[in-house]
Amino acid sequence: MGNASDSAPAPDLAAGVPASTIPDGGILAGRVGDDSVLLFRRGDQIFAVGATCTHYGGPLAEGLVVGDTVRCPWHHACFSLRTGEDLRPPALSPVGSWEVVRDGDTVRVGAKRPEARREVRPPASPESVVIVGAGPAGLLAALTLRREGYGGPVTWVGAEATPPVDRPNLSKDYLAGKAPEDWIPLRPPEVYAELRIEPLVGLEATALDVRARRLTCVDGREIPYGALLLATGAEPVRLDVPGSGLPHVHTLRTLADSRAIVDLASKVKRAVVIGSSFIGLEVAASLRERGVEVHVASKDARPLERVMGPEVGDFVRGIHESHGVVFHFETTAASIDARAVTLTNGERLETELVVAGIGVRPRTRLAETAGLRVDRGVVVDAYLETSAPGVFAAGDIARYPDPRTGELVRIEHFVHAERQGQAAARNMLGRREPFRIPPFFWSQHYDVVLNYAGHAERWDEIRVDGSLAARDAKLTYVAGGKELAVLTVGRDRENLEAEAAWEREDGR
Ligand SMILES: Cc1cc2nc3c(=O)[nH]c(=O)nc-3n(C[C@H](O)[C@H](O)[C@H](O)COP(=O)(O)OP(=O)(O)OC[C@H]3O[C@@H](n4cnc5c(N)ncnc54)[C@H](O)[C@@H]3O)c2cc1C
Ligand code: FES
């Protein structure tokens, strides 16, 4: 696919362009009035859609066309070229779609189409649906049920104080002070009213009876269900050392957690982050952007080495050090008091703000007490159905068969949780579609974004193409001769291409 030239002025597509200027399988960027519009061509067919991804504004001209869809280069949202519909999260609303008029060799963009409303009748329709957990997996299940034509009652309970939030932002721009709080809700409140699915926030489900098909909540209410989704996510592992219960010691999962860290960050000179996980490092970066001095204590010899290998570990360490972060490797907190953290190597770091980013564990208690099959996550089949018929699980709690390796895996990524919520909802409605989308996540460290597609818990070899130092690299993680994952920096298209290639292979 050819990309739009940066230098030439964008052609006026309403006035018309020669068809020959749109390469087959390619794209032409232009404008219609004030809108940036892209023309895509597949053989004789030409489509016109909006140029800007509705997630965070990614440039679709730099994305990948797969069949009659286009995928966003930044976080892999997918839109229909025919209608502009947001087919895959993290985009939750469509891009514009325009009529295309052919007049001899001239292609002209005509009227903007009204937002497409699909008339769908689901193959099956449970008497009622209950969703447990108001995170991204629960949200996409709720949105998808209605979009797929389910008109029955949906009850949605969530223990968190808020409707679903943009969790990745809580350690990135929001924590750095670059995103206002009104960016944080994933959907505006009126959407829930329109869908007739209000999340009952602050309400914890306490028991699940899969024989009676009934969920019990902490306030005693009992909710019967025809189908149920467990999307209870994960919770941060907490430090367990003397002083770890002090009020200035935080973990980060919720908006309230992020607010509390922001509040303290404005009052302290130095923060200590325990753990060099993605969240720990993103917190370090965001606090540096707020001018706070940051020390990171990590049990490992390098950050991220176990998940991404030594090359990435050294690269990420270098980025943080160049921004003034001080690492303390192969050590962790031994104790904490009001003024300092004492590390296991004996160092004492003066601080009044401690953030622990030492991993999460899946919230499986409800599933365990219900007698579902649980093995370091709620075990589901390829349709995301648990060992109890009619009970599905999605997101951080679900352990599902990876089509690449056949192994059961549990993935802790935002976009993957959304996509599993979407897939589980479709399967509740009788679609019987195996979940085969490869995992994808991104992580941001100052101005460097790491994009990772696939899943490799171990590997025999990491093939490096390009240069991490030059911020132009693709690393491929290979096990048993099979490519399991890629990490890219500055090569978003190649990340999309790897994802699309695996989907083709795994879908056969
Ligand atoms: C700060 C931060 C930054 C992140 N950044 C990224 C990133 O850049 N990229 C990426 O891919 N991933 C990122 N992640 C991970 C990503 O957010 C998770 O993978 C994703 O949120 C998982 O979604 P989920 O719906 O499965 O669970 P969750 O988001 O954990 O939501 C589950 C919800 O269920 C509720 N719940 C639990 N038990 C019950 C119960 N018994 N009754 C009712 N409700 C219950 C919880 O309160 C919670 O609200 C980040 C996570 C955090 C915390
Ligand atoms: S900006 Fe397009 S998926 Fe995030």
Side-chain angles (χ1 to χ4, degrees):
M1 185 173 80
N3 285 341
S5 156
D6 289 336
S7 47
D12 179 356
L13 302 177
V17 291
S20 56
T21 56
I22 317 164
D24 194 6
I27 183 177
L28 181 77
R31 63 187 168 77
V32 175
D34 291 335
D35 291 311
S36 294
V37 174
L38 302 177
L39 284 176
F40 294 88
R41 177 167 179 180
R42 281 185 59 210
D44 283 345
Q45 294 180 302
I46 298 179
F47 308 105
V49 297
T52 308
C53 177
T54 55
H55 178 227
Y56 283 0
L60 295 181
E62 294 168 24
L64 184 72
V65 174
V66 180
D68 56 1
T69 68
V70 59
R71 296 183 180 184
C72 176
W74 286 1
H75 316 112
H76 297 200
C78 174
F79 299 93
S80 163
L81 292 176
R82 292 177 188 281
T83 62
E85 184 181 355
D86 48 308
L87 298 173
R88 283 188 188 176
L92 300 178
S93 47
V95 288
S97 167
W98 281 261
E99 310 270 357
V100 175
V101 184
R102 296 283 301 251
D103 186 5
D105 186 44
T106 301
V107 175
R108 202 165 43 74
V109 173
K112 190 170 184 179
R113 295 194 174 107
E115 198 176 305
R117 297 231 178 258
R118 283 191 286 131
E119 289 298 321
V120 210
R121 277 178 72 89
S125 193
E127 229 165 82
S128 61
V129 176
V130 171
I131 301 170
V132 189
L139 171 67
L140 262 289
L143 298 177
T144 305
L145 285 169
R146 289 296 186 239
R147 195 183 285 192
E148 293 296 317
Y150 180 66
V154 180
T155 311
W156 186 13
V157 300
E160 212 166 318
T162 52
V165 293
D166 188 356
R167 238 184 259 302
N169 218 318
L170 300 180
S171 54
K172 301 181 182 69
D173 287 351
Y174 178 73
L175 188 60
K178 297 191 299 192
E181 195 156 312
D182 56 8
W183 287 12
I184 298 304
L186 279 178
R187 295 276 73 194
E190 58 273 17
V191 165
Y192 302 118
E194 278 164 27
L195 295 175
R196 295 173 290 116
I197 307 182
E198 292 283 352
L200 302 170
V201 295
L203 182 62
E204 188 186 346
T206 47
L208 171 62
D209 183 337
V210 295
R211 258 186 235 112
R213 293 200 168 216
R214 193 176 51 226
L215 182 79
T216 305
C217 294
V218 70
D219 62 355
R221 86 177 80 173
E222 299 199 328
I223 311 168
Y225 66 84
L228 179 136
L229 177 69
L230 284 173
T232 49
E235 62 198 336
V237 175
R238 289 179 194 275
L239 280 172
D240 185 16
V241 297
S244 54
L246 286 167
H248 67 297
V249 181
H250 293 270
T251 53
L252 175 52
R253 188 80 189 174
T254 64
L255 177 57
D257 296 336
S258 194
R259 279 188 192 137
I261 296 170
V262 167
D263 184 45
L264 259 186
S266 62
K267 299 176 187 148
V268 302
K269 197 168 151 277
R270 179 194 272 178
V272 173
V273 175
I274 308 295
S276 57
S277 62
F278 289 108
I279 289 180
L281 292 172
E282 289 186 349
V283 168
S286 295
L287 292 179
R288 285 300 299 132
E289 294 198 45
R290 285 183 177 269
V292 178
E293 193 185 306
V294 178
H295 288 245
V296 175
S298 169
K299 274 186 174 169
D300 300 325
R302 287 184 180 88
L304 308 178
E305 183 173 8
R306 270 175 298 138
V307 280
M308 292 185 163
E311 296 86 351
V312 178
D314 286 339
F315 172 61
V316 169
R317 173 186 177 166
I319 298 170
H320 282 272
E321 285 179 340
S322 72
H323 284 83
V325 172
V326 181
F327 284 100
H328 304 259
F329 288 112
E330 298 180 313
T331 187
T332 185
S335 65
I336 302 171
D337 61 43
R339 308 213 54 94
V341 175
T342 304
L343 301 179
T344 49
N345 67 6
E347 275 183 273
R348 185 177 155 83
L349 303 173
E350 301 273 323
T351 185
E352 285 160 359
L353 169 58
V354 180
V355 183
I358 53 173
V360 298
R361 65 171 68 91
R363 283 186 171 115
T364 52
R365 202 176 54 79
L366 204 55
E368 278 160 32
T369 53
L372 302 183
R373 191 177 158 214
V374 174
D375 169 17
R376 294 160 292 150
V378 178
V379 177
V380 293
D381 63 15
Y383 306 98
L384 305 179
E385 194 163 13
T386 68
S387 54
V391 177
F392 293 74
D396 279 10
I397 59 157
R399 204 165 179 81
Y400 76 102
D402 176 359
R404 298 244 79 211
T405 60
E407 287 173 17
L408 288 176
V409 293
R410 194 177 65 74
I411 304 291
E412 292 165 3
H413 305 343
F414 182 78
V415 174
H416 209 58
E418 292 188 314
R419 290 175 173 181
Q420 288 195 338
Q422 185 180 42
R426 288 173 61 86
N427 285 334
M428 280 178 176
L429 302 180
R431 294 267 172 213
R432 296 291 292 170
E433 293 164 349
F435 182 77
R436 294 202 182 105
I437 306 177
F440 164 78
F441 81 92
W442 79 100
S443 182
Q444 189 178 329
H445 306 261
Y446 315 93
D447 57 344
V448 177
V449 180
L450 308 175
N451 275 5
Y452 182 97
H455 182 67
E457 284 179 16
R458 49 196 169 269
W459 52 82
D460 311 322
E461 186 195 352
I462 302 176
R463 291 185 200 137
V464 182
D465 179 28
S467 155
L468 281 169
R471 300 180 180 190
D472 173 27
K474 175 183 173 191
L475 279 70
T476 307
Y477 299 76
V478 184
K482 209 170 189 174
E483 296 185 358
L484 295 185
V486 299
L487 176 134
T488 58
V489 177
R491 295 193 184 187
D492 295 347
R493 271 292 295 270
E494 290 182 43
N495 204 291
L496 279 170
E497 281 161 0
E499 180 188 74
W502 292 327
E503 270 179 66
R504 277 195 304 274
E505 282 172 29
D506 299 340
R508 279 201 295 264

